[in-house]
């Protein structure tokens, strides 16, 4: 097949490095020698010509393994297409794998200029074929020098399979030297590191070529656009459930009202906002359809069980009083922000959570996740998929680990990675909006994992639409609610 764009609307299977290597070994065993590399190199050349049709000169940085061999095959095709191609081989020729050695012989026979030293000659496009799937340590020596050379050129970069220096599973740079590509052509399998952590910043626009090999069993999944829900004529507000937002300690009532607005915009039939500040107003003048309640969590167990509860938004320590009843009786429960911080510090609440028979979704950012896991935010960010999965397995909940490439994890299931969203969301209150939106979607019914993945996708998609429309600054949380409603 030819390279295809990895559109955020389409769900895609993801494969960690070990699964990708196993698939590669099986594919190599089932095809004639050099077949996969020739397909890969052709795909790289086709994408290079499509992305930079007017580029006259191309520099191919080829590493010491089969990733470098893919670059050498691509160089042959680009040379044949009339481009001024030069290859910088940053590896020991005598130690090249068989496929890469064959590609080098073919490139030399075709007249492609090959050098071992970097030069100052300009290039209209750089192809990064330095390091592939197998790298596990920080680039050094000639590889690191080649990465620095590419960065200094400020020339568009097309990465082959992975930006060199990026971990395929975690999306974190292995060291200081890491390619920052304008586009990446993933080969054979899509790797999760391209979509989370710093992966999206380093990979740029992501394309995929399966090299004619079937997908096989996935180890994670890139979420696609959720299916739209059609409302029937005979439905009424009771058909879409009640949401109660419990949060808003003194000085933070706005967080609870933002979540309530989002729940209403997502489609909940009725939304109650229950501020933890006894002196807070029980009315949102901009949304008078929201209903304020005092100490709603003290309602009878049957009332709590009939509702979808979003707890913690701006809750401070005051949310501690409400959590035992909510953990014991709430029908569907979304725990966000200070509810998570209180939970992390209180083993008795953790035991209540473990005893819950009803579904629960946790929506931590990395610091909150670190508190729950008794580790550091850096450790969480170093392996976002692993951290989310550990948290889901430990607490028996669906977990949404927020951040670039938000992870949705559930006990015993492959995690989902979210492809939407951008830095317009990096502003106060957008997490409260996500929690409320999730609660509003969930109030009409549905499975927790799928609802969480849909909410996260829509949340990011609204920001992507705002960016495409020319929004220059942060997307204010109240405006995000309106953007979500417009995009739904």
């Amino acid at each position: 097949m030819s390279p295809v764009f990895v559109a955020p609307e389409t769900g895609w299977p993801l494969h960690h490095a070990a699964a990708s290597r196993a698939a590669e070994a099986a594919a190599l065993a089932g095809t004639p020698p050099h077949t996969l590399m020739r397909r890969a190199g052709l795909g790289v050349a086709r994408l290079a010509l499509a992305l930079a049709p007017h580029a006259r000169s191309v520099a191919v940085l080829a590493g010491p393994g089969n990733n470098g061999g893919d670059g050498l095959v691509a160089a042959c095709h680009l040379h044949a297409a009339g481009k001024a191609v030069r290859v910088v081989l940053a590896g020991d020729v005598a130690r090249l794998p068989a496929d890469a050695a064959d590609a080098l012989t073919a490139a030399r026979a075709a007249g492609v200029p090959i050098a071992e030293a970097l030069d100052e000659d300009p290039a209209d496009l750089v192809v990064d074929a330095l390091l592939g799937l197998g790298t596990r340590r920080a680039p050094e020596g000639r590889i690191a020098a080649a990465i620095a050379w590419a960065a200094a050129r400020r020339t568009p970069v097309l990465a082959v399979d992975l930006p060199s220096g990026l971990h395929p599973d975690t999306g974190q740079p292995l060291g200081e030297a890491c390619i920052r590509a304008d586009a990446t052509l993933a080969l054979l399998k899509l790797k999760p590191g391209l979509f989370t952590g710093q992966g999206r910043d380093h990979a740029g626009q992501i394309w995929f070529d399966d090299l004619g090999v079937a997908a096989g069993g996935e180890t994670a999944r890139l979420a696609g656009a959720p299916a739209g829900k059609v409302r029937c004529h005979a439905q009424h507000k009771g058909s879409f459930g009640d949401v109660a937002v419990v949060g808003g300690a003194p000085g933070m009532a706005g967080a609870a009202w933002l979540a309530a607005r989002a729940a209403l915009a997502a489609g909940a039939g009725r939304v109650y906002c229950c501020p933890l500040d006894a002196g807070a107003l029980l009315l949102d003048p901009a949304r008078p359809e929201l209903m304020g309640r005092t100490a709603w969590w003290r309602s009878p167990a049957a009332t709590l069980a009939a509702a979808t509860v979003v707890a913690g938004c701006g809750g401070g320590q005051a949310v501690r009083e409400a959590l035992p009843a909510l953990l014991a009786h709430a029908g569907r429960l979304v725990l966000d922000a200070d509810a998570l911080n209180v939970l992390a510090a209180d083993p008795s609440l953790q035991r209540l959570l473990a005893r819950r028979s009803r579904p629960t979704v946790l929506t931590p950012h990395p610091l909150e996740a670190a508190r729950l896991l008794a580790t550091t935010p850096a450790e969480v960010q170093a392996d976002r998929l692993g951290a989310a999965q550990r948290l889901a397995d430990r607490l028996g909940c669906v977990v949404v680990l927020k951040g670039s490439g938000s992870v949705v994890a559930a006990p015993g299931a492959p995690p989902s990675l979210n492809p939407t969203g951008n830095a317009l969301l990096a502003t106060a209150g957008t997490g409260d909006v996500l929690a409320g939106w999730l609660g509003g979607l969930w109030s009409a019914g549905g499975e927790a994992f799928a609802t969480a993945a849909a909410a996260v996708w829509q949340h990011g998609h609204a920001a992507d639409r705002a960016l495409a429309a020319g929004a220059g600054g942060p997307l204010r949380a109240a405006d995000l609610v309106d953007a979500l409603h417009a995009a739904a």
Side-chain angles (χ1 to χ4, degrees):
M1 64 178 281
S2 295
V4 295
F5 178 61
V6 180
E9 291 78 19
T10 306
W12 296 84
L14 302 175
H15 294 77
H16 284 76
S20 297
R21 284 194 294 271
E24 182 179 20
L28 287 169
T31 55
H34 318 312
T35 299
L36 289 186
M37 183 168 288
R38 289 170 182 168
R39 291 175 184 172
L42 178 59
V44 172
R46 283 176 171 170
L47 185 57
L49 293 170
L51 294 178
H54 303 299
R56 292 173 294 178
S57 59
V58 181
V60 178
L61 306 179
N66 283 330
N67 193 255
D70 297 339
L72 286 163
V73 175
C76 288
H77 288 292
L78 293 169
H79 178 74
K83 304 297 182 182
V85 181
R86 69 185 189 280
V87 174
V88 178
L89 189 58
D92 184 351
V93 172
R95 299 177 64 183
L96 289 176
D99 279 359
D102 176 76
L104 176 60
T105 299
R108 284 173 168 163
V112 176
I114 296 173
E116 294 185 6
L118 298 161
D119 56 44
E120 297 305 316
D121 290 344
D124 300 319
L125 177 70
V126 173
V127 175
D128 161 35
L130 289 166
L131 297 173
L133 186 63
T135 184
R136 281 295 179 272
R137 64 177 186 270
E140 56 188 19
R142 294 167 64 189
I143 300 292
I147 292 172
W149 180 91
R153 300 279 80 73
R154 298 189 178 182
T155 298
V157 176
L158 169 59
V160 178
D161 199 28
L162 290 159
S164 292
L166 187 76
H167 195 289
D169 294 344
T170 69
Q172 300 300 341
L174 294 162
E176 292 184 7
C178 187
I179 284 286
R180 191 174 288 266
D182 296 272
T184 296
L185 177 58
L187 299 170
L188 192 65
K189 304 294 181 185
L190 281 169
K191 291 79 180 174
L194 294 170
F195 302 97
T196 196
Q198 296 186 44
R200 293 174 66 189
D201 287 326
H202 282 270
Q205 194 181 69
I206 299 171
W207 296 72
F208 178 52
D209 190 336
D210 67 7
L211 307 183
V213 176
E218 62 196 50
T219 55
R221 185 146 191 97
L222 191 67
K229 294 183 179 180
V230 178
R231 294 193 166 200
C232 298
H233 289 288
Q235 287 182 303
H236 51 84
K237 65 184 179 183
S239 305
F240 303 105
D242 293 349
V243 172
V245 176
V246 179
M252 297 183 288
W257 287 107
L258 281 169
R261 286 189 185 188
L264 184 70
R270 292 175 296 196
V271 179
Y272 304 98
C273 187
C274 317
L276 293 160
D277 180 358
L281 292 176
L282 296 180
L283 174 69
D284 179 351
R287 287 291 171 206
E289 56 267 54
L290 297 173
M291 295 172 279
R293 292 291 187 272
T294 299
W296 176 90
W297 60 90
R298 295 176 183 151
S299 301
T303 300
L304 302 185
T308 299
V309 181
V310 178
C313 302
Q317 287 298 309
V319 76
R320 171 66 179 80
E321 180 187 354
L323 282 179
L326 298 179
L327 288 166
H329 303 299
R332 303 179 184 91
L333 182 59
V334 179
L335 296 176
D336 183 53
D338 288 317
L340 300 174
N341 293 327
V342 170
L343 182 71
D346 191 331
S348 67
L349 293 177
Q350 294 173 31
R351 289 191 290 272
L352 278 176
L353 176 60
R355 291 198 292 268
R356 264 184 68 81
S357 59
R358 298 182 177 98
T360 307
V361 178
L362 278 57
T363 57
H365 57 52
L367 176 57
E368 292 157 354
R371 289 169 178 154
L372 288 163
L373 289 168
T375 184
T376 66
E379 289 292 326
V380 169
Q381 290 294 82
D383 183 6
R384 290 172 50 77
L385 280 89
Q389 195 64 56
R390 288 196 305 276
L391 196 53
D393 291 341
R394 182 178 299 181
L395 298 178
C397 303
V398 171
V399 171
V400 176
L401 177 57
K402 295 181 288 194
S404 178
S406 292
V407 183
V408 183
S416 171
L417 268 174
N418 184 57
T420 64
N422 58 70
L424 293 185
L425 293 171
T427 185
T430 56
D432 303 312
V433 170
L434 174 61
W437 184 264
L438 198 167
L441 289 184
W442 204 11
S443 64
E447 191 267 332
F449 182 91
T451 304
V456 172
W457 194 97
Q458 291 171 336
H459 185 256
H461 179 58
D464 289 341
R465 281 168 52 100
L467 185 64
L475 188 55
R476 293 171 296 190
D479 296 336
L480 175 60
V481 175
D482 293 337
L484 276 161
H485 187 258

